[in-house]
């Protein structure tokens, strides 16, 4: 056990108390005022320059040591989800239909743990920017912080982020260079026909029949137009039309989730969805209005920074506790916006597997972040920061 892990273990109760407090008082995206205040107060107490005004509730803690011009950023997300917690924990959410079901309370606390160590014992030369981000859950808090001048005010030579991963051994560190998480786009298709009586379909233009054909045809885009070596997903998550069995409605509405691991495939999906939907609608004599919203881009880890973090993890945790190239994930992450501007690496830390603590999937009302990772994750962040900003670096 290294000095970083020893430190985290000695302060475990302190860090667990912080995590439990944040968990008990979850806040949705851009409303993390209480969490932001806790982060600010602790960073100030530990000697950081604290900067606010990024993404409404975002916080940047800056720590400078030595005379090197080298800079790095480490990011943690702070927001919760609109979900009713059912864990029964003594520190369960006190707010109805809001809970930390993705572990952002743990991500925030891991970075705070590293912040305390680095302020007290950190040996490095350069500038460390600790970025506490709001609104990761579909609201684009990363992009909002950047729009507010995050990297202009706090430039970083490299940036790193970490997410917990249920289903993997607790504390295991998982890496992937290149495309690691998918883009995520949202599509609403409104099909307008002519309503009528169910007994006289020839007098109507049925949007439900058109919608059914569109649903089936959309699946041929991935199966017949995307290179089989590329991952892509088109999911029709909702279809809403009609209210009664003998009335042909005037409209049907489809809601789609579209994902890809390649920017060119992402554009192909958009172009082909629009063309296919319009052509299908015309063939049925109805009109299709398509609202296509681009969400998070493909998350691409840069080779040099990922290799550095991967090798650091091996030194820190040992080869057996590191996955060198984990499979790509079709979930999305707005850290991807940051990686479009700054080279870096987004990695994962195992939260627990099988029937063990921490194995429950994220976005589940029974999920809970594994407190043991406050030690592992906090220590790794501290070790990575010291190594990246080392005198020799």
């Amino acid at each position: 056990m290294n000095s970083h892990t020893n430190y985290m273990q000695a302060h475990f109760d302190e860090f667990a108390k912080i995590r439990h407090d944040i968990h008990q008082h979850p806040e949705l995206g851009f409303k993390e005022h209480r969490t932001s205040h806790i982060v600010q107060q602790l960073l100030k107490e530990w000697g950081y320059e604290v900067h606010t005004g990024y993404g409404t509730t975002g916080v940047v803690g800056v720590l400078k040591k030595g005379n090197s011009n080298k800079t790095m950023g480490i990011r943690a997300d702070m927001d919760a989800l609109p979900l009713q917690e059912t864990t029964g924990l003594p520190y369960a959410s006190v707010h109805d239909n809001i809970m930390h079901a993705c572990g952002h309370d743990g991500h925030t606390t891991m970075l705070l743990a590293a912040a305390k160590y680095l302020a007290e014992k950190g040996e490095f030369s350069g500038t460390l920017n600790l970025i506490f981000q709001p609104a990761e859950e579909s609201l684009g808090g990363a992009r909002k912080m950047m729009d507010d001048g995050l990297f202009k005010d706090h430039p970083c030579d490299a940036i790193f982020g970490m997410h917990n991963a249920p289903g993997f051994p607790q504390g295991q560190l998982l890496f992937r260079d290149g495309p690691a998480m998918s883009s995520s786009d949202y599509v609403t298709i409104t099909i307008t026909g002519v309503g009528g009586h169910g007994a006289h379909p020839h007098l109507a233009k049925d949007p439900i029949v058109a919608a059914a054909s569109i649903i089936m045809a959309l699946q041929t885009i991935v199966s017949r137009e995307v290179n089989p070596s590329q991952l892509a997903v088109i999911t029709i998550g909702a279809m809403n039309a009609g209210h009664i069995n003998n009335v042909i409605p005037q409209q049907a509405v489809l809601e789609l989730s579209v994902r890809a691991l390649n920017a060119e495939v992402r554009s192909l999906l958009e172009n082909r969805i629009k063309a296919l939907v319009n052509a299908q609608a015309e063939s049925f004599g109805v009109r299709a209005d398509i609202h296509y919203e681009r969400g998070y881009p493909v998350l691409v880890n840069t080779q040099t920074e990922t290799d550095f973090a991967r090798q650091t993890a091996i030194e820190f945790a040992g080869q057996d506790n590191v996955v060198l190239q984990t499979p790509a994930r079709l979930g999305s992450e707005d850290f991807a916006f940051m990686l479009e501007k700054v080279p870096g690496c987004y990695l994962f830390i195992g939260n627990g597997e099988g029937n063990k603590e921490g194995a429950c999937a994220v976005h589940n009302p029974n999920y809970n972040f594994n407190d043991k990772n406050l030690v592992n994750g906090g220590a790794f962040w501290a070790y990575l920061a010291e190594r990246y900003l080392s005198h020799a670096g």
Side-chain angles (χ1 to χ4, degrees):
M1 189 176 292
N2 57 50
S3 61
H4 303 78
T5 303
N6 285 333
Y7 179 92
M8 300 303 167
Q9 195 65 60
H11 291 81
F12 174 79
D13 290 344
E14 175 187 353
F15 299 142
K17 183 177 179 180
I18 293 170
R19 207 278 291 183
H20 295 174
D21 180 56
I22 294 173
H23 185 96
Q24 194 169 27
H25 302 90
E27 298 166 301
L28 297 176
F30 296 124
K31 298 179 181 178
E32 308 93 333
H33 299 288
R34 184 180 185 275
T35 306
S36 178
H37 179 73
I38 290 171
V39 170
Q40 292 175 50
Q41 292 303 113
L42 289 173
L43 291 176
K44 288 177 182 176
E45 179 182 324
W46 298 333
Y48 284 75
E49 296 176 16
V50 175
H51 303 264
T52 59
Y54 303 99
T56 308
T57 51
V59 181
V60 181
V62 179
L63 184 65
K64 300 178 181 179
K65 293 190 177 186
N67 55 13
S68 172
N69 292 323
K70 201 168 187 180
T71 63
M72 75 175 296
I74 305 177
R75 171 270 209 175
D77 37 19
M78 301 188 292
D79 57 322
L81 284 161
L83 197 64
Q84 185 64 44
E85 183 166 356
T86 58
T87 61
L89 293 166
Y91 52 87
S93 172
V94 298
H95 302 307
D96 289 338
N97 203 40
I98 306 176
M99 75 167 288
H100 274 292
C102 204
H104 296 187
D105 52 335
H107 303 165
T108 295
T109 310
M110 284 193 301
L111 192 52
L112 286 172
K116 182 168 184 174
Y117 174 93
L118 291 165
E120 292 182 5
K121 297 180 176 295
E123 296 182 2
F124 63 86
S125 181
T127 300
L128 175 67
N129 299 307
L130 303 185
I131 301 165
F132 294 85
Q133 180 207 306
E136 186 280 325
E137 298 288 355
S138 302
L139 295 175
R143 182 164 56 183
K144 184 65 169 66
M145 288 190 79
M146 292 162 60
D147 289 344
D148 289 338
L150 172 63
F151 291 130
K152 178 181 178 182
D153 299 339
H154 308 287
C156 299
D157 296 324
I159 190 164
F160 301 88
M162 186 185 334
H163 202 290
N164 73 94
F168 293 87
Q170 181 270 316
Q172 186 179 65
L173 297 169
L174 302 97
F175 296 86
R176 182 177 181 83
D177 52 72
M181 298 186 73
S182 76
S183 59
S184 181
D185 299 329
Y186 317 97
V187 190
T188 300
I189 302 170
T190 303
I191 303 162
T192 303
V194 177
H197 197 292
H200 310 292
H202 61 293
L203 301 177
K205 297 293 184 182
D206 194 338
I208 292 181
V209 174
S213 182
I214 288 170
I215 289 170
M216 298 303 294
L218 283 172
Q219 299 308 313
T220 67
I221 295 175
V222 173
S223 67
R224 287 297 175 266
E225 299 192 52
V226 175
N227 188 321
S229 68
Q230 299 285 348
L231 287 176
V233 173
I234 298 175
T235 295
I236 298 92
M239 174 181 173
N240 297 292
H243 301 285
I244 191 169
N245 68 344
N246 65 347
V247 175
I248 295 172
Q250 183 169 323
Q251 283 190 337
V253 179
L254 305 178
E255 301 281 347
L256 280 62
S257 172
V258 182
R259 298 171 184 269
L261 278 167
N262 175 285
E264 292 181 0
V265 172
R266 184 189 192 191
S267 294
L268 169 68
L269 294 176
E270 179 177 358
N271 293 334
R272 292 303 298 139
I273 286 171
K274 290 177 178 178
L276 183 148
V277 169
N278 283 320
Q280 287 277 320
E282 183 179 358
S283 74
F284 284 93
V286 300
R287 185 181 81 248
D289 296 302
I290 305 168
H291 176 69
Y292 208 105
E293 180 183 353
R294 285 208 162 199
Y296 296 169
V298 180
L299 186 150
V300 182
N301 285 327
T302 50
Q303 186 75 53
T304 299
E305 286 69 29
T306 303
D307 283 343
F308 175 83
R310 189 188 279 130
Q311 185 58 44
T312 301
I314 293 171
E315 295 174 8
F316 170 79
Q319 181 74 59
D320 292 343
N321 294 312
V322 176
V323 176
L324 300 179
Q325 189 76 343
T326 189
R329 297 164 182 254
L330 284 169
S332 59
E333 235 291 344
D334 77 342
F335 190 71
F337 288 119
M338 294 188 177
L339 288 174
E340 287 186 326
K341 300 297 182 182
V342 180
C345 174
Y346 192 72
L347 62 130
F348 295 88
I349 184 168
N351 203 55
E353 62 179 339
N355 296 320
K356 298 178 182 178
E357 178 185 358
C360 179
V362 297
H363 292 224
N364 183 299
N366 286 307
Y367 169 84
N368 188 34
F369 181 85
N370 195 326
D371 279 336
K372 295 175 183 176
N373 276 336
L374 300 178
V375 174
N376 299 83
F380 177 70
W381 275 150
Y383 188 79
L384 181 77
E386 281 191 322
R387 193 168 181 276
Y388 188 84
L389 296 175
S390 66
H391 295 281

